[in-house]
Amino acid sequence: MTVYLPATVGMSLAEVDTPSLILDLDAFERNLDRMDASLAGKKIRIRPHAKSHKCPAIAKRQIARGAVGVCCQKVSEAEAMVDGGVPDVLVANEVVGAVKLRRLAALAKRARVAACADDAGNIAQLDAAAREAGVRLDVLVEVNVGANRCGAEPGEPAVALARAIVACKNLRFAGLQAYQGGAQHLRKVEERRAAIEKACARVIQTTDLLAKAGIACEKVTGAGTGTYMYEATSGIYHELQAGSYIFMDVDYGKNEWTESGIPRFEHSLFVWTTVMSRPTAERGVVDAGLKASSVDSGMPRVADVEGVEYVKASDEHGVLKLTGTRLAIGDKLRLIPGHCDPTVNLYDHYVCVRDGKVEAIWPITARGAVW
């Protein structure tokens, strides 16, 4: 099978084929700097979520700056990270099914690997898989802190699961997973802060009962790009799982970012696209549609050019509404994805650009994995 690359190192951005996923390295590195600066002096560690980038090259750059490891959502992502040289991975999700459990346990022979649980039966399955593989797995209890997705209810239901983990010979209770995903895109600063205050109350309810039960809780982990400073200053969380801060997207750009001490990260990830048709003065069409940019959180936004709005996507076409703007067939545009995570999952490589030149090509080795 021929592997096609849309660019080569040293090529100008104008020469890069489309649609391609472009990473502005200067903006990306400034975002890393902003995160580092915002956490300086705080007793908190960052474990960035790799579901955003799916790329060991990025994960290792984050670890080189002090990250304790990365998070993943799936065993396949964890395998890609470990294969790429990442030594510490938390699958911040439940792992269910005999095949996945065997793969998770096998991975624990090669790296430090942890997973989450919110069910006693699943804990028994994790224990059996670890016993079969001859490893001891770290397991965190996932607590529902308000997102109403996965997670045991706070307090005694979560403590009962911690007791179940402690009773397993092949598992180690490693703490609590407490991610309030529903808070990340609440638009108002006050709304996000209030949601995390409620999440923290649920965590405290649980950690107080764990202490009374004599169960040490070494770690509370969670947080995302939209709220991480509230978790960081809560005195409750030990690890932060922010992921999208390195890229940002249209949806995160709709949040208010006005509170003192919270950095405003910049857009570094773009879909590079070509104008392929100009049917009318008011309409243009580009070659980046649904297979080039996820629209689950809204349409992409055209960067750099006024009077151009991306209004409709089909499989291989993106329709632009033009207002007093001259665009010619063959012109190229940068699109800011509506949602960075699923957009990344559509591509095999990042075309890494600095000063208008391709500096590197980074493979997205965990993309497309659904197991």
Side-chain angles (χ1 to χ4, degrees):
M1 178 178 175
T2 301
V3 177
Y4 172 74
L5 292 176
T8 57
V9 173
M11 178 182 285
S12 72
L13 176 58
E15 295 175 283
V16 174
D17 203 359
T18 63
S20 298
L21 194 63
I22 302 298
L23 182 60
D24 180 329
L25 287 174
D26 287 329
F28 165 74
E29 290 167 2
R30 285 193 294 268
N31 285 339
L32 293 174
D33 290 341
R34 290 184 180 100
M35 176 61 78
D36 293 345
S38 71
L39 298 179
K42 296 178 176 64
K43 294 182 179 179
I44 196 83
R45 298 167 295 184
I46 186 163
R47 181 183 289 275
H49 217 311
K51 73 181 178 71
S52 296
H53 57 69
K54 292 177 170 280
C55 175
I58 291 177
K60 288 192 286 187
R61 281 163 174 78
Q62 292 171 314
I63 291 169
R65 287 171 168 259
V68 295
V70 298
C71 297
C72 292
Q73 285 296 89
K74 301 179 290 188
V75 175
S76 54
E77 289 178 347
E79 289 169 331
M81 290 298 123
V82 173
D83 288 345
V86 176
D88 190 325
V89 180
L90 165 63
V91 180
N93 205 352
E94 286 66 34
V95 178
V96 175
V99 174
K100 293 185 181 70
L101 289 164
R102 283 196 294 269
R103 286 165 49 208
L104 178 73
L107 201 59
K109 294 181 177 181
R110 301 168 50 203
R112 183 174 183 180
V113 177
C116 299
D118 63 1
D119 176 81
N122 186 219
I123 289 169
Q125 294 164 354
L126 286 161
D127 187 45
R131 180 175 62 251
E132 181 182 347
V135 299
R136 195 161 185 240
L137 273 174
D138 282 3
V139 178
L140 294 83
V141 172
E142 182 165 7
V143 181
N144 177 16
V145 292
N148 296 324
R149 194 170 61 182
C150 296
E153 289 305 300
E156 187 53 45
V159 173
L161 294 179
R163 289 194 185 97
I165 294 169
V166 170
C168 291
K169 293 182 179 180
N170 305 284
L171 305 180
R172 188 180 76 88
F173 174 60
L176 301 179
Q177 165 77 4
Y179 173 57
Q180 216 313 12
Q184 303 311 310
H185 297 279
L186 296 174
R187 299 308 179 199
K188 301 292 185 182
V189 167
E190 296 81 6
E191 294 175 319
R192 298 201 299 278
R193 187 192 314 114
I196 300 309
E197 288 173 356
K198 291 178 181 178
C200 288
R202 292 183 172 208
V203 172
I204 291 171
Q205 178 187 355
T206 306
T207 54
D208 283 351
L209 285 178
L210 285 170
K212 288 179 181 178
I215 300 174
C217 181
E218 69 178 43
K219 176 166 62 182
V220 176
T221 181
T225 295
T227 67
Y228 79 93
M229 282 299 291
Y230 304 126
E231 286 95 342
T233 56
S234 68
I236 297 166
Y237 282 75
H238 305 90
E239 287 183 356
L240 306 174
Q241 298 177 0
S244 298
Y245 73 95
I246 59 173
F247 295 149
M248 301 305 284
D249 53 31
V250 172
D251 198 52
Y252 261 121
K254 295 176 182 177
N255 282 6
E256 279 188 356
W257 303 89
T258 56
E259 191 153 347
S260 176
I262 299 179
R264 188 179 183 97
F265 299 104
E266 62 185 291
H267 297 295
S268 68
L269 186 76
F270 304 92
V271 172
W272 188 230
T273 187
T274 300
V275 177
M276 58 189 290
S277 177
R278 278 298 316 273
T280 72
E282 296 79 28
R283 186 169 77 249
V285 183
V286 293
D287 62 356
L290 294 171
K291 295 178 181 178
S293 185
S294 174
V295 300
D296 64 297
S297 296
M299 295 296 167
R301 179 162 60 83
V302 178
D304 314 318
V305 182
E306 296 294 328
V308 184
E309 181 183 3
Y310 190 111
V311 294
K312 181 181 177 182
S314 51
D315 282 4
E316 307 291 354
H317 301 80
V319 178
L320 307 177
K321 178 181 178 182
L322 308 178
T323 308
T325 300
R326 292 183 179 180
L327 281 180
I329 291 175
D331 286 350
K332 294 182 178 180
L333 302 169
R334 297 195 307 172
L335 304 178
I336 301 168
H339 188 181
C340 57
D341 299 13
T343 296
V344 166
N345 197 50
L346 298 170
Y347 291 86
D348 292 320
H349 301 88
Y350 295 102
V351 178
C352 303
V353 174
R354 196 189 306 272
D355 297 328
K357 294 285 186 182
V358 177
E359 184 172 301
I361 307 290
W362 292 343
I364 305 172
T365 55
R367 60 88 49 190
V370 294
W371 55 86

